[in-house]
Amino acid sequence: MGLATPIKVRKLQEKLQAKAKAEPSFRFYSLWDKVYREDVLTHAYRRCRANGGAAGLDGVTFKDIETQGEEQWLGNLQQELKDKQYRPSPLRRHWIPKANGKMRPLGIPTIRDRVVQMAVVMLIGPIFEADMQPQQYGFRPGLDAKMAVRRAYFHITRGGRREVVDADLSDYFNTIPHDALLKSVARRLSDGQVLQLIRAWLKAPVTEQDESGHWTSTATRRGTPQGGVISPLLANVYFRRFLLAWYGWGLATKLDAQIVNYADDLVICCRPGNGQEAMKWMRHIMSRLGLTVNEEKTRLARLPGESIDFLGYTFGQCYTHKGRPFIGTRPSKKALRRVRQRIHDETTRRWNQKPVQTRVKEINAILRGWCGYFDQGPVYKEYKFLANYTERRLRRWLMKKHKRRGTGYRQYPDRFLYEELGLYKPQVKRS
């Protein structure tokens, strides 16, 4: 369960959103004094604390802050903001592996910067939420990726839009033009101090340590670095411009082409015969927005003869147990490979000294999370494969932990794994 928003903060957010909804052209001009309000900053800190995350460039951790005293640390930050002495620190570059084997760059802000970003997001998020388009599902309250999957499925099946532009943007978060983004932000905000702060976060340099131990700093000229608290909101604000152009120019009606967007993922579901023109217009609008379409990954698929992968699901030809074909969804092969790798990593020799219950608890969290998301469409085969793989890996780990030889089927039968250890078993829900 997430942290409950304090009543006064929630009422402030509701007031801001109601004003934004009632007056679509209103520009909010008095926000700065609310950023450093004690209840806003305190809740912002606790949300960042709940999210966890590594230290930024200054090396300060949440444990360090709690040792110093949360109240004192927040008091100092509040005074900096009140005196307009706060300045963002450079970002720390961190690389994480992508599914394709490449590395994704993250820009990790300091905890101090994360807390201020969170405070700002708590205030301007409700304002921009009033403007978000119904096609946007990412990083929005009450919406999630499974809703986006369902909407795409609706367009393809009931809507008959079986030509799908599976679009991919090249490094979307890191290539958003700053001036155009700030113009979109300023359409709703006129508080100069808040606008100046958002610009400073966007322009914060990225610092990285090379293999020889030397630190280098790189200026940030484009993008809203992944890793920042405010980045998802700003990415949504800018992507809204693409949707406004698409629907404002009448392309949705002309081509009978509906968009489903989640963060930097999007599909355009079109009436058969209109996919090529939809792809042409998509490229044109993205170019005008200063964004680059990844031509290697962008493709037009004609269902059910072809398939697409969207948000972990494969859309394409499926079959009933009697062999009747239908257009459906199922977990993608990539999604299955990822969860298999995670189970593998949790059952290697490095964990041999850990208690068995700790391993089972970690594995169960992975299985529950994966099955909780991938529960749409025919999933029996994937669940069966995952259960068999997990049983096999856990048995092997138990044998090695106790320095025994063999596969472990006799020593650790299914009954022991599921009843004694409490291993979670993926099961198809009966409707």
Side-chain angles (χ1 to χ4, degrees), residues 117-250:
Q117 286 188 24
M118 182 66 80
V120 170
V121 167
M122 285 164 52
L123 297 176
I124 71 173
I127 295 170
F128 286 107
E129 174 60 27
D131 298 335
M132 292 301 168
Q133 301 300 291
Q135 297 80 20
Q136 294 180 277
Y137 288 84
F139 311 115
R140 295 182 60 193
L143 301 178
D144 58 30
K146 280 170 69 172
M147 292 181 181
V149 169
R150 293 190 194 106
R151 176 52 56 178
Y153 180 72
F154 172 85
H155 287 317
I156 293 168
T157 54
R158 295 191 183 183
R161 303 178 183 94
R162 299 187 178 187
E163 281 193 2
V164 182
V165 178
D166 183 8
D168 186 89
L169 299 178
S170 296
D171 203 11
Y172 172 63
F173 279 82
N174 291 321
T175 58
I176 298 174
H178 284 172
D179 289 345
L181 171 58
L182 288 167
K183 184 178 179 180
S184 296
V185 173
R187 187 189 62 80
R188 272 303 203 173
L189 307 181
S190 63
D191 188 311
Q193 199 67 31
V194 173
L195 289 171
Q196 182 180 334
L197 188 55
I198 293 174
R199 178 181 286 275
W201 283 327
L202 291 174
K203 298 293 184 183
V206 180
T207 304
E208 184 174 10
Q209 190 174 28
D210 60 25
E211 294 179 357
S212 61
H214 294 108
W215 290 90
T216 57
S217 184
T218 306
T220 304
R221 295 183 174 85
R222 293 173 72 91
T224 174
Q226 289 176 276
V229 174
I230 201 170
S231 294
L233 174 61
L234 295 180
N236 269 350
V237 168
Y238 197 66
F239 197 90
R240 174 179 176 272
R241 296 181 64 169
F242 171 76
L243 295 169
L244 289 177
W246 188 268
Y247 288 90
W249 294 356

Side-chain angles (χ1 to χ4, degrees), residues 14-57:
E14 290 170 353
K15 185 178 178 180
L16 290 169
Q17 189 168 68
K19 179 73 172 178
K21 284 183 177 179
E23 300 184 39
S25 61
F26 184 80
R27 298 178 71 209
F28 292 78
Y29 54 85
S30 182
L31 295 171
W32 181 248
D33 61 320
K34 299 169 183 63
V35 172
Y36 57 79
R37 246 175 56 170
E38 183 177 351
D39 55 348
V40 171
L41 269 185
T42 300
H43 188 58
Y45 173 82
R46 289 175 182 170
R47 284 182 62 178
C48 290
R49 181 70 180 88
N51 292 339
L57 192 62

Side-chain angles (χ1 to χ4, degrees), residues 291-346:
L291 302 171
T292 303
V293 176
N294 186 335
E295 298 295 347
E296 291 184 4
K297 293 184 178 180
T298 297
R299 55 187 281 265
L300 176 64
R302 296 175 175 85
L303 279 65
E306 298 174 293
S307 64
I308 63 161
D309 285 355
F310 180 56
L311 299 177
Y313 277 90
T314 294
F315 293 67
Q317 188 85 288
C318 295
Y319 297 90
T320 66
H321 65 283
K322 293 183 178 180
R324 182 173 60 84
F326 68 98
I327 296 178
T329 61
R330 60 185 182 277
S332 69
K333 292 180 180 178
K334 183 187 293 186
L336 198 57
R337 282 199 303 270
R338 285 181 181 176
V339 71
R340 183 180 64 186
Q341 185 62 48
R342 292 183 66 191
I343 296 298
H344 177 276
D345 293 343
E346 293 295 337

